[in-house]
Amino acid sequence: MIVYLVRRAGQSVLAVVAMAVLVFLGVYAIGNPVDVLINPEATQAQIAATTQRLGLDKPLWQQFGIFLGNAIHGDLGTSFVYGRPALDIILERLPATMELAVVALILSVGLGVPLGVWAGLRPHGLAGKTIMGGSILGFSLPNFWQGMLLILVFAVLLGWLPAGGRGQTTEFMGLEVSFLTLDGLSHLILPAINLALFKMSLIIRLARANTREVCLQDYVKFARAKGLSGRRVVMVHVLKNIMIPVVTIIGLELGSMVAFAIVTETVFAWPGMGKLLIDSINLLDRPVIVAYLMLTVLIIVTINFLVDVIYSLLDPRIRLSEMKG
Amino acid sequence: MTNSIASDLEPVGTPGPVRIDSPVRRVAKEFVEDPVAVVGLVLFVLIALIAILAPWLAPQNPYDLAQLDIMDGGLPPGEVSFGTGDTYWLGTDQQGRDMVSAIIYGLRISLVVATMSLGIAITIGTVVGVTAAYFGGKLDSFIMRIVDLQLSFPAILVALILLALLGRGVDKVILALVIVQWAYYARTVRSSAIVERRKDYIDAARCLALSNRRIMFRHLLPNCVPPLIVVATVQIAQAIALEATLSFLGVGVPITEPSLGLLIANGYDYLLSGRYWISLFPGIALVLTIIAINLVGDRLRDVLNPRLST
């Protein structure tokens, strides 16, 4: 187990370093890093001072060492726009994004699994076909377009829900959250549905395929033959067995939720870190861009690592085959 | 599609038309059995033709400022121009640009970006995938590590990183899409090539002392094509959607060459004030394109790989 953990942790560190190299090369090697990292309104003296502080006069490989060293200490530069450390600004926006991602995840599992099982039990019925058709649209149509339709229908035409923003927030366990107030909740619904639709479609397809497979197994036939109610067969025998692949995909997709939130937050003007990224790109606030990218990479790599470790605890075959290979 | 027996009997080095012809005909025959897929194919061909013939089909050149009349700005669908008396069937945007023309030109840019990135990514992915499978060993595991590493990050994030650092531009969007997509093709080609290379016809080709390159691209590659086609149809729809998303976010194509995504973004500001047509119609064009490709792709997957069909 320790061998596996070390191996897998090594891979994760490698992934983070690889992305750091990519970001570093993008900022430092393409174009002039002085233009990229120093406020265009800075004076000559400030430029000289920052150039020296960041070590931009040193060879490239030494610069990379300094960049990594600073990054490990949490120093990813100072925002041009806000005049504060870039990492702080992003961490302030993190709870909003996480709230959105978690609510979306709950929605996509809570609706995706029942719909998928239903479609799997009656694959040729009208409902099953409708669910499958909907799921194809759900993952093939661009996310921002689905969000726009939601706004057009529910905010502009019907006027039921607000079109954007976060609404009123309250303190909950030290974090600002919006799901506890009616106003906050009404702002949360549309973006959460928007973010959930893609994952929900994936989960529906997965649950349906697995349900169809499980239904053919002998233990399901036997349970039916025993005279158990259809409800019990589905709830106990089928559901339990389809949850293994579903749980896997949930873990793996959690990281990509953070990335997909960029689009949803932009469409709904949700004040999370994804919207911050797009705003920073438009304002050329590059330290914030760099900090966002490094933090997101770190989050995704960490989640992938945890999922793999948990999964290998649940299923010893994986860590055995990994150790050999 | 394992016709290894047939290929064993063929004279080596002549992948003659006879061998390729019959599967193509079989696929075509099976494809047309599904009317929905045929509708998708017809729709896609129509869309592609509109994009190719844009300069001749569009009522006006939407980017020739001399043809725009600011008096016609923001007209709803079906209104008549104040100047020329032409009807704007899908309305106009704030600058008085005919939306029909803007969509036709936007479609052209979206499709050009998607097909160019598809072509480059497929070439890189195929060469890398076949090489990895054919030589195996350290080279294979090194290449597959890179592929796995890249695929562990969401495509949209990788593309955003690149474009945030490189800036806007059609060429840069194509580059970003290639970098995002090559890994899918490499993995697909490699996984089918690794099965094929253990077959007898590859051994036979080796015994004839053919060069590695010849075996890889004339013997191995043709047998890896069917799954590649399936992945390519899925990926081209993804590429169109991703390009639209990037342009919508303002990091994709420049304002001078608006794709459908950028048209939608431009109209987005007017959506809340009720001028829905500026972004709704480009969106419908985008969605129709993606659905048409997906319908074709779904059917191709069933026809080319009977194992996967449900």
Side-chain angles (χ1 to χ4, degrees), chain A residues 249-286:
Chain A
I249 204 103
I250 291 167
L252 290 174
E253 295 292 334
L254 190 65
S256 70
M257 276 276 197
V258 178
F260 274 97
I262 299 169
V263 179
T264 299
E265 285 175 9
T266 308
V267 173
F268 288 92
W270 183 263
M273 41 187 235
K275 181 158 190 328
L276 180 69
L277 173 72
I278 298 300
D279 291 346
S280 301
I281 290 174
N282 289 331
L283 295 169
L284 295 178
D285 194 354
R286 297 187 195 88

XYZ file of all heavy atoms in Angstrom, chain A residues 249-286:
287
model
N -17.246 7.836 -11.023
C -17.326 8.964 -11.951
C -17.575 10.262 -11.192
O -17.051 11.309 -11.562
C -18.392 8.707 -13.036
C -18.099 9.528 -14.286
C -19.780 9.070 -12.577
C -17.503 8.769 -15.376
N -18.327 10.195 -10.085
C -18.571 11.401 -9.295
C -17.246 11.975 -8.804
O -16.969 13.162 -8.933
C -19.484 11.096 -8.095
C -20.887 10.788 -8.580
C -19.527 12.291 -7.135
C -21.771 10.190 -7.522
N -16.404 11.105 -8.249
C -15.114 11.561 -7.754
C -14.284 12.190 -8.853
O -13.739 13.282 -8.700
N -14.230 11.488 -10.001
C -13.379 11.977 -11.071
C -13.897 13.282 -11.665
O -13.127 14.103 -12.141
C -13.265 10.918 -12.170
C -12.460 9.687 -11.768
C -12.520 8.644 -12.850
C -11.018 10.062 -11.462
N -15.217 13.470 -11.631
C -15.780 14.653 -12.276
C -15.813 15.868 -11.350
O -16.064 16.977 -11.790
C -17.193 14.358 -12.777
C -17.253 13.318 -13.879
C -16.632 13.822 -15.169
O -16.616 15.039 -15.379
O -16.158 12.998 -15.955
N -15.574 15.651 -10.061
C -15.635 16.750 -9.108
C -14.628 17.848 -9.469
O -14.936 19.037 -9.437
C -15.368 16.227 -7.694
C -15.640 17.207 -6.562
C -17.116 17.531 -6.503
C -15.178 16.635 -5.235
N -13.422 17.415 -9.843
C -12.393 18.385 -10.210
C -12.783 19.192 -11.431
O -12.563 20.405 -11.486
N -13.392 18.510 -12.415
C -13.728 19.235 -13.635
C -14.893 20.190 -13.402
O -15.089 21.122 -14.170
C -14.039 18.270 -14.774
O -15.249 17.612 -14.539
N -15.678 19.965 -12.336
C -16.737 20.911 -11.972
C -16.153 22.306 -11.781
O -16.746 23.305 -12.191
C -17.391 20.506 -10.651
C -18.460 19.483 -10.763
S -20.005 20.227 -11.182
C -21.144 18.958 -10.752
N -15.008 22.369 -11.106
C -14.373 23.659 -10.830
C -14.035 24.359 -12.146
O -14.232 25.565 -12.298
C -13.116 23.452 -9.970
C -12.418 24.777 -9.727
C -13.479 22.793 -8.651
N -13.564 23.562 -13.125
C -13.225 24.150 -14.417
C -14.474 24.581 -15.170
O -14.521 25.653 -15.758
C -12.419 23.161 -15.241
N -15.511 23.728 -15.133
C -16.740 24.059 -15.842
C -17.428 25.274 -15.217
O -18.174 25.982 -15.884
C -17.702 22.869 -15.843
C -17.445 21.926 -16.974
C -16.697 20.794 -16.794
C -17.959 22.203 -18.227
C -16.447 19.933 -17.837
C -17.717 21.350 -19.279
C -16.963 20.211 -19.090
N -17.173 25.490 -13.919
C -17.798 26.622 -13.242
C -17.379 27.947 -13.872
O -18.108 28.932 -13.768
C -17.435 26.609 -11.762
N -16.226 27.976 -14.548
C -15.788 29.207 -15.219
C -16.896 29.701 -16.144
O -17.245 30.877 -16.144
C -14.505 28.956 -16.045
C -13.363 28.497 -15.144
C -14.118 30.197 -16.820
C -12.161 27.991 -15.916
N -17.452 28.765 -16.929
C -18.461 29.147 -17.915
C -19.750 29.578 -17.216
O -20.293 30.650 -17.493
C -18.732 27.967 -18.867
C -19.800 28.339 -19.876
C -17.467 27.532 -19.552
N -20.229 28.733 -16.286
C -21.488 29.031 -15.606
C -21.401 30.356 -14.854
O -22.318 31.172 -14.902
C -21.817 27.890 -14.630
O -21.969 26.696 -15.383
C -23.090 28.168 -13.871
N -20.296 30.580 -14.152
C -20.161 31.819 -13.380
C -20.168 33.036 -14.290
O -20.702 34.082 -13.928
C -18.861 31.779 -12.565
C -18.980 30.857 -11.361
C -17.669 30.708 -10.619
O -16.707 31.444 -10.928
O -17.595 29.845 -9.735
N -19.566 32.902 -15.478
C -19.556 34.032 -16.400
C -20.962 34.321 -16.912
O -21.384 35.475 -16.980
C -18.613 33.754 -17.584
O -17.354 33.359 -17.060
C -18.444 34.967 -18.446
N -21.702 33.261 -17.260
C -23.050 33.451 -17.798
C -23.953 34.094 -16.741
O -24.723 35.003 -17.033
C -23.636 32.107 -18.270
C -25.096 32.265 -18.681
C -22.838 31.544 -19.423
N -23.856 33.632 -15.497
C -24.781 34.078 -14.459
C -24.195 35.172 -13.560
O -24.791 35.492 -12.526
C -25.219 32.899 -13.594
C -26.145 31.964 -14.304
C -25.645 30.871 -14.983
C -27.507 32.179 -14.316
C -26.487 30.000 -15.650
C -28.363 31.326 -14.974
C -27.847 30.228 -15.651
N -23.030 35.719 -13.936
C -22.373 36.746 -13.126
C -22.264 36.315 -11.665
O -22.500 37.084 -10.742
C -23.112 38.087 -13.227
N -21.933 35.062 -11.442
C -21.778 34.500 -10.103
C -20.382 34.860 -9.597
O -19.389 34.547 -10.257
C -21.946 32.979 -10.187
C -21.885 32.261 -8.874
C -20.799 31.652 -8.344
C -22.948 32.051 -7.945
N -21.107 31.081 -7.151
C -22.425 31.320 -6.874
C -24.297 32.437 -7.915
C -23.197 30.940 -5.779
C -25.052 32.054 -6.829
C -24.503 31.323 -5.774
N -20.284 35.512 -8.448
C -18.967 36.043 -8.052
C -18.013 34.983 -7.490
O -17.574 35.058 -6.360
C -19.338 37.069 -6.979
C -20.604 36.553 -6.399
C -21.333 35.839 -7.484
N -17.702 33.992 -8.282
C -16.759 32.957 -7.861
C -15.413 33.159 -8.514
O -15.165 34.181 -9.148
N -14.515 32.164 -8.373
C -13.180 32.372 -8.914
C -13.123 32.193 -10.427
O -12.227 32.725 -11.069
C -12.163 31.479 -8.220
C -12.580 30.072 -7.924
S -11.293 29.303 -6.944
C -10.967 27.888 -7.945
N -14.091 31.466 -11.002
C -14.113 31.338 -12.453
C -14.386 32.677 -13.120
O -13.734 33.051 -14.090
N -15.342 33.402 -12.583
C -15.647 34.725 -13.137
C -14.459 35.660 -12.933
O -14.139 36.463 -13.801
C -16.899 35.294 -12.468
C -17.278 36.648 -13.019
C -18.721 36.968 -12.786
C -19.162 38.207 -13.540
N -18.134 39.214 -13.706
N -13.815 35.509 -11.770
C -12.614 36.304 -11.503
C -11.556 36.061 -12.582
O -10.899 36.996 -13.046
C -12.055 35.943 -10.122
C -10.799 36.676 -9.689
C -11.090 38.134 -9.419
C -10.188 36.029 -8.460
N -11.408 34.792 -12.989
C -10.414 34.465 -14.012
C -10.723 35.199 -15.311
O -9.841 35.835 -15.902
C -10.384 32.952 -14.259
C -9.491 32.529 -15.422
C -8.027 32.667 -15.072
C -9.776 31.101 -15.864
N -11.984 35.113 -15.751
C -12.349 35.747 -17.016
C -12.197 37.265 -16.916
O -11.654 37.911 -17.820
C -13.799 35.368 -17.404
C -13.913 33.856 -17.615
C -14.234 36.102 -18.664
C -13.015 33.308 -18.693
N -12.633 37.844 -15.787
C -12.455 39.284 -15.597
C -10.979 39.649 -15.652
O -10.591 40.655 -16.252
C -13.043 39.724 -14.243
C -14.558 39.620 -14.235
O -15.135 39.480 -15.328
O -15.151 39.665 -13.150
N -10.143 38.818 -15.007
C -8.712 39.119 -14.965
C -8.092 39.014 -16.348
O -7.200 39.784 -16.690
C -7.993 38.155 -14.022
O -8.541 38.253 -12.732
N -8.568 38.035 -17.149
C -8.047 37.923 -18.516
C -8.397 39.186 -19.292
O -7.567 39.750 -20.005
C -8.608 36.665 -19.214
C -8.011 35.404 -18.587
C -8.305 36.693 -20.710
C -8.591 34.113 -19.105
N -9.638 39.667 -19.122
C -10.049 40.865 -19.853
C -9.316 42.109 -19.382
O -9.079 43.023 -20.156
C -11.563 41.065 -19.722
C -12.321 40.011 -20.512
O -11.823 39.512 -21.518
N -13.496 39.653 -20.055
N -8.958 42.155 -18.085
C -8.249 43.324 -17.547
C -6.732 43.156 -17.616
O -5.999 44.004 -17.154
C -8.653 43.552 -16.086
C -10.112 43.926 -15.827
C -10.420 43.843 -14.348
C -10.387 45.321 -16.353
N -6.279 42.012 -18.163
C -4.847 41.692 -18.247
C -4.190 41.693 -16.858
O -3.050 42.120 -16.703
C -4.117 42.670 -19.168
C -4.531 42.623 -20.643
C -3.775 43.661 -21.438
C -4.311 41.243 -21.235
N -4.941 41.233 -15.857
C -4.398 41.151 -14.503
C -3.678 39.802 -14.369
O -4.191 38.863 -13.801
C -5.552 41.272 -13.489
C -5.046 41.539 -12.087
O -3.808 41.516 -11.896
O -5.878 41.754 -11.198
N -2.460 39.733 -14.903
C -1.825 38.425 -15.110
C -1.441 37.697 -13.837
O -1.547 36.478 -13.786
C -0.622 38.583 -16.047
C -1.054 39.072 -17.413
C 0.079 39.079 -18.388
N -0.276 39.867 -19.563
C -0.092 41.171 -19.675
N 0.451 41.850 -18.678
N -0.427 41.810 -20.754
